[in-house]
Amino acid sequence: MSKKFEIRREVVVPGTQEQIWAAISAETAGWMFPSPLEIPADGSRPDSPVIATWEPPTELGIHMDGPDGWFNHLEYLVEARDNSTAVVRYVHAGVFADDWDNQYDGASKHTDFYLHSLGQYVRYFAGQSATYVSAEGPEASGTPAAMATLRSALGIGSDTAVDDTVTFDVPGFGTITAVVDYLNDWFVGLRTDDALLRFYGRNAFGGNVDVAHHLFAAGTDGEAASAGWKGWLDGVYA
């Protein structure tokens, strides 16, 4: 049976209101996934029925309705603070049709990771164009031990912590050296000089381990990068 849900968060983001507004409205490929909204070059309100609120640089609301009472609502409130930081108050509300507890748990944990990535993007890459690439792991990455296998492939040990540096090889990309910026049982976040590398343990929520990376190097070939990371995942779980 369908049941409503609501997820609320309040986070401090190291950036100005204007930087955060750009990130949540026009630059989502840099920290979450590309938005289907087409933002006019002058920053005016998009011509889209899903925009519920558009008050730059403080408030953005997106609302979608569907059949049988289904809806999905996202809301961002951005409040400036001193020292070029801002508070972001985030609400995600909607309806889950099946497996409510598992879906809510997954959405809640994903929210924390996405909002952390927002902070990383604004702090290190604000305003830079991103190539978003994603790849799903094979069936073998859907097992309970899949994230342990992934962490080992990334050079993450039992004593590795946030802010440590790891080094690993990806065929076609060479040796990657990255700072660990997020680490728990479900997700790994790595940051390089020109990328936010995101690894999702969706095996915990009924799926497979996958990756969704934000690459800021100019001239990145997105299709080649996706294929490369797909090959790497296949090799990790071979």
Side-chain angles (χ1 to χ4, degrees):
M1 178 178 292
S2 298
K3 183 179 177 182
K4 294 180 181 179
F5 73 91
E6 184 176 275
I7 297 168
R8 289 181 174 269
R9 293 291 188 271
E10 181 175 311
V11 296
V12 176
V13 176
T16 66
Q17 273 185 310
E18 289 74 18
Q19 288 173 323
I20 295 166
W21 173 264
I24 64 177
S25 61
E27 300 167 1
T28 58
W31 60 277
M32 187 171 57
F33 43 77
S35 171
L37 296 175
E38 295 185 8
I39 310 298
D42 62 1
S44 58
R45 181 180 180 128
D47 182 17
S48 171
V50 305
I51 297 294
T53 309
W54 184 270
E55 297 291 343
T58 60
E59 186 174 356
L60 173 64
I62 298 173
H63 187 93
M64 293 171 282
D65 288 311
D68 302 322
W70 181 90
F71 72 95
N72 191 52
H73 181 82
L74 302 176
E75 181 179 308
Y76 298 87
L77 296 174
V78 185
E79 178 184 330
R81 284 190 171 181
D82 294 335
N83 301 317
S84 295
T85 63
V87 174
V88 176
R89 296 181 177 88
Y90 172 82
V91 179
H92 182 196
V95 173
F96 289 139
D98 300 298
D99 196 16
W100 193 93
D101 288 340
N102 191 47
Q103 288 199 58
Y104 180 84
D105 184 45
S108 182
K109 289 181 171 64
H110 277 72
T111 294
D112 292 332
F113 192 28
Y114 284 135
L115 291 177
H116 168 80
S117 295
L118 168 63
Q120 291 287 294
Y121 170 72
V122 173
R123 180 175 181 179
Y124 295 100
F125 302 105
Q128 296 188 36
S129 297
T131 300
Y132 174 84
V133 302
S134 62
E136 183 178 0
E139 185 177 349
S141 70
T143 64
M147 281 302 284
T149 301
L150 178 85
R151 285 192 289 269
S152 178
L154 293 172
I156 296 173
S158 59
D159 59 347
T160 302
V162 169
D163 293 330
D164 286 350
T165 299
V166 296
T167 301
F168 57 100
D169 293 319
V170 178
F173 295 89
T175 300
I176 294 177
T177 300
V179 174
V180 179
D181 66 81
Y182 198 88
L183 183 62
N184 62 20
D185 290 342
W186 307 281
F187 307 107
V188 176
L190 304 179
R191 187 184 69 250
T192 71
D193 290 340
D194 59 7
L196 291 176
L197 307 178
R198 269 53 196 137
F199 303 83
Y200 293 82
R202 292 182 171 130
N203 58 310
F205 313 110
N208 297 334
V209 170
D210 61 21
V211 303
H213 299 331
H214 315 277
L215 311 180
F216 300 98
T220 296
D221 183 331
E223 290 188 5
S226 293
W229 282 102
K230 171 62 177 172
W232 181 82
L233 282 171
D234 289 346
V236 167
Y237 293 103

